[in-house]
Amino acid sequence: MATNMEKPYVVGMDIGGTNTVFGIVDSRGTVLASDSIKTHQFEKVEDYVDAVCERMRPLLEQFGGSDKIKGMGVGAPNGNYYSGTIEFAPNLPWKGIIPLAAMFEERLGIPTALTNDANAAAIGEMTYGAARGMKDFIMITLGTGVGSGIVINGQLVYGHDGFAGELGHVIVDKEGRICGCGRKGCLETYCSATGVARTAREFLVARSEPSLLRNVPAEEIQSKDVYDAAVKGDKLAQDIFEFTGDILGRALANFIAFSSPEAIILFGGLAKSGDYIMKPIQKAMEDNVLNIFKGKTKILLSQLKDADAAVLGASALGWEVKEN
Amino acid sequence: MATNMEKPYVVGMDIGGTNTVFGIVDSRGTVLASDSIKTHQFEKVEDYVDAVCERMRPLLEQFGGSDKIKGMGVGAPNGNYYSGTIEFAPNLPWKGIIPLAAMFEERLGIPTALTNDANAAAIGEMTYGAARGMKDFIMITLGTGVGSGIVINGQLVYGHDGFAGELGHVIVDKEGRICGCGRKGCLETYCSATGVARTAREFLVARSEPSLLRNVPAEEIQSKDVYDAAVKGDKLAQDIFEFTGDILGRALANFIAFSSPEAIILFGGLAKSGDYIMKPIQKAMEDNVLNIFKGKTKILLSQLKDADAAVLGASALGWEVKEN
């Protein structure tokens, strides 16, 4: 991280379908100030960028203005690192290819880099979190979907087009569940929070035993309900995690054959379901990994605090931005 | 490639279970002289290394001795680039961890680097072949087994332990064929030459139609027989390639989600089965790849000549060796 006294801060921004959060971060990974804005209220991207900048300027002034900022990192769905654009992002209101990094640079005078949110999380983990000092690791984000950021030789893997690292869309069962991407059997149809809820609904129909989950209307079941039931000793709920962890662990075994990472770091609500999910993940991974890799790759939990993680992850990219 | 006038050559060596071939190569990728020796006749690795060096010295003398050599690259099964060792290689006569690079360095006075054969092939392709100028590509070798060498950001992927890139052992079907590695459903049980022969035997039992392959005793069928039959219009033989290409294409679609390579380069006998295998590979890859990657990754054939490929690939590593 190239910090210096003249430009001691970075800005991190995370653009989600619902909220955009941003903050000013120092070199130790402390979020000094932050704010947020609703993403979806702006039909025109120009209005959105103007509004974000208007909210950001007072924060910047508190810390000496944009001259004190080394760079800004933005995490956004379908973010292309090479071009600084977001491209055809299905969950954002703006269509086509949007040169978002350039738009912020112009308005704020801060060099800006952009990538997708899971890549930003990986850089955040490498800069401030569980992957400090690691040169080879894979970050897996288990949220509404499954995202990933891959680091090899100390560098984030962007691929030839800027979009590498879509491990949530590795197909794990060619006759499997329909995915939002239009294909079948993607990892994220099983191992996201949504996937866990889907498994719960399937299990409740396929099995006849009693379960606390039968008290929740089927369409309203969330992965949190499954966790709560598992903690209360509900066997069906525990089996849902077993099933989910087994699929994820097998997928991780295949990922290890690709890049032989020192660690796989899990981030997101599901990862916090404790041993209910971690034990089956670990077991399926070790049972299915090629002999030469056995016992070598650690599974770790993210060390970024939830509330700060999105801003911190994106901000880490700010340290690496090249000035024009 | 850091060539210079004082040390204008490299040595390439490929260690196979049966033969060890080695040669002197110039910066344009011409194999100037080569020789070979039977690997399996040496029970002690010291005797083997001594014998190779004895055969290599006259070649070196022809080109001005080891002072003219920039470095030596060795491709070997289970080769670890970081340590220069081969580790527990099942098809070689020497057990445990063998410091092969150091042994050659000591005897020949040439800085030596070592990696597995598929990684060597990838570096060869990047230096002299189809991947010149590419920074992101995947090399897949389709031989007795399936090997791979992955290049990201212009660097070979070795992983944290030196063994990354075992894509032949990605599990494509958890209830699939038994693999030599002790697990089930590895890609190489389907997409190697051996895998194709296995598919032929299965198809001949499962289907009752006539086929030219019924003229070959089942246990003797080789992938070459399947190719010859396919060329003669044999439907069953063509279906074998269809089946094989479909599995490989689906696997490639998943690999693209990992590193988004500019190209996937196929090497080995099977890759030369023309449209019989290339069309189903291409179709399955495009049908199964995530939308964002569609139409972006080329499938190419290796441009290294068969006879020279092993020596050339390994030699390319010689240009990158650091002197001690």
Side-chain angles (χ1 to χ4, degrees):
Chain A
M1 166 184 353
T3 173
N4 64 35
M5 293 305 290
E6 279 169 30
K7 290 178 183 288
Y9 310 120
V10 285
V11 173
M13 183 186 308
D14 180 72
I15 305 179
T18 311
N19 290 307
T20 294
V21 293
F22 46 89
I24 304 201
V25 178
D26 69 14
S27 64
R28 310 182 71 156
T30 312
V31 179
L32 303 168
S34 65
D35 200 354
S36 73
I37 195 168
K38 295 276 169 211
T39 311
H40 251 293
Q41 62 181 311
F42 302 96
E43 269 178 47
K44 287 178 61 185
V45 67
E46 288 77 12
D47 297 342
Y48 164 78
V49 174
D50 286 342
V52 170
C53 292
E54 197 171 310
R55 295 281 278 275
M56 198 183 296
R57 284 198 186 92
L59 299 190
L60 292 172
E61 289 314 315
Q62 286 179 50
F63 297 91
S66 52
D67 285 354
K68 295 292 179 192
I69 307 291
K70 173 85 171 63
M72 175 158 100
V74 180
N78 289 34
N80 185 330
Y81 174 76
Y82 294 134
S83 56
T85 55
I86 50 174
E87 308 191 6
F88 309 100
N91 300 320
L92 296 181
W94 322 300
K95 301 305 158 207
I97 299 178
I98 312 284
L100 211 62
M103 292 173 77
F104 280 112
E105 263 181 21
E106 224 173 73
R107 284 161 176 82
L108 296 171
I110 300 172
T112 300
L114 179 154
T115 190
N116 77 42
D117 36 0
N119 285 346
I123 299 176
E125 213 66 54
M126 183 161 56
T127 311
Y128 314 114
R132 264 172 299 186
M134 287 189 196
K135 299 197 121 197
D136 294 277
F137 70 96
I138 298 177
M139 178 95 198
I140 306 275
T141 61
L142 303 167
T144 314
V146 172
S148 66
I150 303 162
V151 171
I152 287 176
N153 289 337
Q155 301 168 322
L156 207 90
V157 175
Y158 294 110
H160 84 291
D161 62 347
F163 292 114
E166 286 289 351
L167 299 184
H169 291 284
V170 158
I171 294 176
V172 296
D173 179 356
K174 67 179 177 173
E175 299 303 335
R177 296 178 180 169
I178 302 282
C179 183
C181 75
R183 302 176 310 153
K184 273 196 230 169
C186 291
L187 184 63
E188 82 168 29
T189 65
Y190 298 94
C191 299
S192 59
T194 330
V196 167
R198 223 161 145 175
T199 304
R201 285 190 285 276
E202 282 184 15
F203 276 34
L204 286 166
V205 171
R207 293 161 57 156
S208 56
E209 72 203 77
S211 164
L212 294 169
L213 292 171
R214 298 196 190 277
N215 303 330
V216 187
E219 287 314 304
E220 292 173 20
I221 291 178
Q222 305 214 333
S223 65
K224 179 72 169 60
D225 301 315
V226 181
Y227 176 70
D228 291 343
V231 170
K232 290 178 187 144
D234 192 274
K235 179 71 170 57
L236 189 137
Q238 292 172 359
D239 286 356
I240 292 167
F241 283 120
E242 192 87 29
F243 174 85
T244 308
D246 183 67
I247 293 176
L248 184 53
R250 287 172 187 273
L252 299 185
N254 277 351
F255 301 161
I256 291 173
F258 200 103
S259 70
S260 187
E262 179 178 347
I264 293 171
I265 299 174
L266 302 180
F267 176 85
L270 254 190
K272 280 174 283 173
S273 306
D275 280 352
Y276 298 114
I277 190 138
M278 295 306 281
K279 276 194 175 170
I281 293 174
Q282 185 83 48
K283 181 173 188 320
M285 185 182 97
E286 286 298 333
D287 285 354
N288 287 284
V289 79
L290 189 62
N291 255 321
I292 204 169
F293 302 120
K294 262 194 212 308
K296 285 186 181 172
T297 300
K298 292 171 276 197
I299 300 181
L300 302 175
L301 292 180
S302 164
Q303 283 179 14
L304 301 184
K305 267 177 281 166
D306 264 24
D308 291 345
V311 165
L312 265 187
S315 81
L317 195 59
W319 297 113
E320 298 177 8
V321 180
K322 288 179 200 80
E323 293 192 50
N324 294 323
Chain B
M1 163 186 354
T3 172
N4 64 35
M5 294 306 289
E6 279 168 31
K7 289 178 184 288
Y9 310 119
V10 284
V11 173
M13 183 186 308
D14 181 71
I15 304 180
T18 311
N19 290 307
T20 294
V21 292
F22 46 90
I24 304 203
V25 177
D26 69 14
S27 64
R28 311 182 70 158
T30 312
V31 179
L32 302 169
S34 66
D35 199 354
S36 74
I37 196 169
K38 293 278 168 209
T39 311
H40 252 293
Q41 63 183 311
F42 301 96
E43 271 179 48
K44 288 178 60 184
V45 68
E46 288 77 11
D47 296 342
Y48 164 78
V49 174
D50 287 341
V52 170
C53 291
E54 195 171 313
R55 294 281 280 276
M56 197 182 296
R57 284 197 186 92
L59 299 190
L60 293 171
E61 289 314 314
Q62 286 179 50
F63 295 93
S66 51
D67 285 354
K68 295 291 180 193
I69 307 292
K70 174 83 170 65
M72 174 156 101
V74 180
N78 289 34
N80 185 330
Y81 174 76
Y82 294 134
S83 57
T85 55
I86 51 174
E87 308 191 4
F88 309 98
N91 300 319
L92 296 180
W94 322 301
K95 300 305 156 205
I97 299 179
I98 312 283
L100 211 62
M103 292 175 77
F104 280 112
E105 264 182 21
E106 222 173 74
R107 285 163 177 81
L108 295 171
I110 300 172
T112 300
L114 178 152
T115 190
N116 77 41
D117 35 0
N119 285 346
I123 299 176
E125 212 67 53
M126 185 162 53
T127 311
Y128 314 114
R132 265 173 296 189
M134 286 187 196
K135 299 197 121 197
D136 294 277
F137 71 94
I138 298 177
M139 178 95 197
I140 306 274
T141 61
L142 303 166
T144 314
V146 172
S148 66
I150 303 162
V151 171
I152 287 175
N153 289 336
Q155 302 168 323
L156 208 90
V157 175
Y158 293 111
H160 84 291
D161 61 349
F163 293 114
E166 285 290 350
L167 300 183
H169 291 284
V170 159
I171 294 177
V172 296
D173 179 356
K174 67 179 178 175
E175 300 302 335
R177 295 176 181 171
I178 302 282
C179 182
C181 75
R183 301 177 309 154
K184 275 195 228 169
C186 291
L187 183 63
E188 82 168 29
T189 65
Y190 298 93
C191 299
S192 59
T194 331
V196 167
R198 224 161 145 175
T199 303
R201 286 190 285 275
E202 282 184 15
F203 276 34
L204 286 167
V205 172
R207 293 162 55 155
S208 57
E209 73 203 76
S211 165
L212 293 168
L213 292 170
R214 298 196 190 276
N215 302 331
V216 187
E219 287 314 303
E220 291 172 22
I221 290 177
Q222 306 215 333
S223 66
K224 179 74 169 62
D225 300 316
V226 181
Y227 177 70
D228 291 344
V231 171
K232 289 179 187 142
D234 192 274
K235 180 70 170 57
L236 189 137
Q238 292 171 0
D239 286 356
I240 292 168
F241 282 121
E242 192 87 28
F243 174 85
T244 308
D246 183 67
I247 293 176
L248 184 54
R250 287 173 186 272
L252 298 185
N254 277 350
F255 302 161
I256 292 173
F258 201 103
S259 70
S260 187
E262 179 178 347
I264 293 171
I265 300 174
L266 303 180
F267 176 85
L270 255 189
K272 280 173 284 174
S273 307
D275 280 352
Y276 297 114
I277 190 135
M278 294 306 281
K279 277 195 175 169
I281 293 173
Q282 185 84 48
K283 180 173 189 319
M285 184 181 97
E286 286 299 333
D287 285 354
N288 287 283
V289 81
L290 188 62
N291 254 321
I292 204 170
F293 302 120
K294 264 194 211 304
K296 286 185 180 174
T297 301
K298 293 170 275 197
I299 300 181
L300 302 175
L301 293 180
S302 163
Q303 282 179 16
L304 302 184
K305 267 177 280 165
D306 264 24
D308 291 343
V311 164
L312 264 187
S315 81
L317 195 58
W319 298 113
E320 297 178 9
V321 180
K322 288 180 200 81
E323 292 192 50
N324 294 323

